[in-house]
């Protein structure tokens, strides 16, 4: 009889222990989703500012149409990649995340190119609208970087929790997959965008 009670107690403790592991993984997965949504908000803000920037410089940069078109194409590609990630219920991972990171690299480069070309147009540099957009984009870039750092911290905790013993036996069977870090692959993309006049 005591043996049965001891076995039952061990089984009950094991079940409670597994529930604790599962709940921790769910909590971390939701923190990853929340951190991603913070990046998402800042990316949308940047995407909303890009058309205003292009409209502001369009009149001044008559001979730079290919640069402006490239920026709009990069913005649209990044927005599409972001929408693909939004459709997924799981934390960002895999090829969709890589596609977004590549699109964001192209977008950052294009915006940097616009600001570099703007140096050649004194009237544009003096424009109040251009200065305001420059400040807003700079602030948004800082917010994206800060949000990306927070996201990567939470992703690291989530991925470690999945790979640590004994959670490794619980994670995959209950649908927990590693989330992708937001990393800049290109050395050029790791440089800060220069947006000062």
């Amino acid at each position: 009889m005591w043996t049965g009670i001891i076995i039952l107690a061990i089984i009950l403790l094991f079940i409670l222990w597994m529930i604790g592991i599962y709940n921790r993984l769910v909590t971390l997965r939701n923190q990853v989703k929340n951190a991603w949504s913070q990046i998402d908000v800042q990316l949308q803000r940047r995407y909303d500012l890009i058309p205003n920037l292009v409209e502001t410089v369009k009149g001044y940069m008559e001979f730079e149409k290919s640069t402006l078109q490239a920026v709009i194409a990069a913005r649209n590609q990044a927005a599409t990649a972001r929408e693909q990630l939004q459709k997924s219920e799981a934390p960002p991972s895999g090829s969709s995340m890589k596609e977004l990171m590549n699109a964001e690299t192209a977008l950052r480069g294009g915006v940097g190119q616009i600001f570099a070309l703007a140096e050649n147009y004194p009237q544009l540099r003096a424009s109040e609208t251009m200065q305001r957009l420059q400040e807003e984009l700079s602030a948004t870039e800082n917010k994206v970087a800060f949000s990306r750092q927070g996201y990567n911290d939470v992703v690291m905790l989530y991925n470690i929790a999945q790979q640590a013993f004994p959670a490794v036996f619980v994670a995959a069977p209950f649908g927990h997959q590693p989330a992708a870090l937001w990393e800049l692959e290109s050395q050029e993309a790791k440089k800060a965008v220069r947006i000062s006049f």
Side-chain angles (χ1 to χ4, degrees):
M1 179 169 159
W2 286 108
T3 305
I5 293 174
I6 292 173
I7 292 173
L8 188 61
I10 290 172
I11 291 172
L12 183 61
L13 285 174
F14 179 76
I15 290 171
L16 291 174
W17 180 57
M18 294 300 276
I19 289 171
I21 291 172
Y22 177 81
N23 287 342
R24 183 172 191 296
L25 290 172
V26 169
T27 300
L28 288 170
R29 179 174 55 198
N30 288 328
Q31 288 176 350
V32 168
K33 288 180 183 180
N34 179 52
W36 170 250
S37 69
Q38 300 303 317
I39 292 175
D40 193 49
V41 166
Q42 300 309 322
L43 292 179
Q44 183 60 51
R45 177 168 168 68
R46 183 197 296 152
Y47 301 157
D48 292 343
L49 289 171
I50 298 294
N52 295 337
L53 174 67
V54 170
E55 284 300 315
T56 300
V57 300
K58 190 187 296 185
Y60 296 96
M61 296 182 168
E62 297 172 13
F63 305 107
E64 311 294 347
K65 288 185 180 181
S66 63
T67 301
L68 299 178
Q69 290 169 344
V71 168
I72 289 297
R75 179 229 181 248
N76 292 340
Q77 182 182 5
T80 301
R82 185 181 135 262
E83 287 172 10
Q84 291 298 320
L85 280 172
Q86 285 178 320
K87 291 178 184 177
S88 174
E89 289 295 317
S93 62
S95 63
S96 296
M97 186 67 162
K98 191 171 216 64
E99 184 179 329
L100 177 65
M101 287 186 283
N102 290 335
E104 282 294 318
T105 299
L107 181 59
R108 278 177 51 102
V111 170
Q113 197 171 16
I114 284 179
F115 286 121
L117 290 171
E119 294 286 333
N120 299 327
Y121 300 90
Q123 290 176 329
L124 178 59
R125 287 185 297 169
S127 165
E128 191 175 308
T129 304
M130 185 64 173
Q131 290 176 359
R132 185 176 38 78
L133 282 169
Q134 172 190 358
E135 289 172 12
E136 287 183 40
L137 277 166
S138 178
T140 300
E141 286 296 328
N142 290 337
K143 290 175 184 175
V144 168
F146 183 74
S147 297
R148 187 177 64 224
Q149 179 183 358
Y151 168 79
N152 282 344
D153 289 345
V154 174
V155 165
M156 181 189 67
L157 291 174
Y158 179 55
N159 290 345
I160 288 172
Q162 290 179 59
Q163 296 166 3
F165 181 82
V168 70
F169 300 113
V170 177
F174 286 104
H176 294 274
Q177 301 297 320
L181 291 169
W182 182 301
E183 299 173 310
L184 299 176
E185 293 181 11
S186 159
Q187 291 300 323
E188 198 63 33
K190 291 180 181 181
K191 294 180 183 174
V193 176
R194 184 171 176 248
I195 58 174
S196 62
F197 292 108

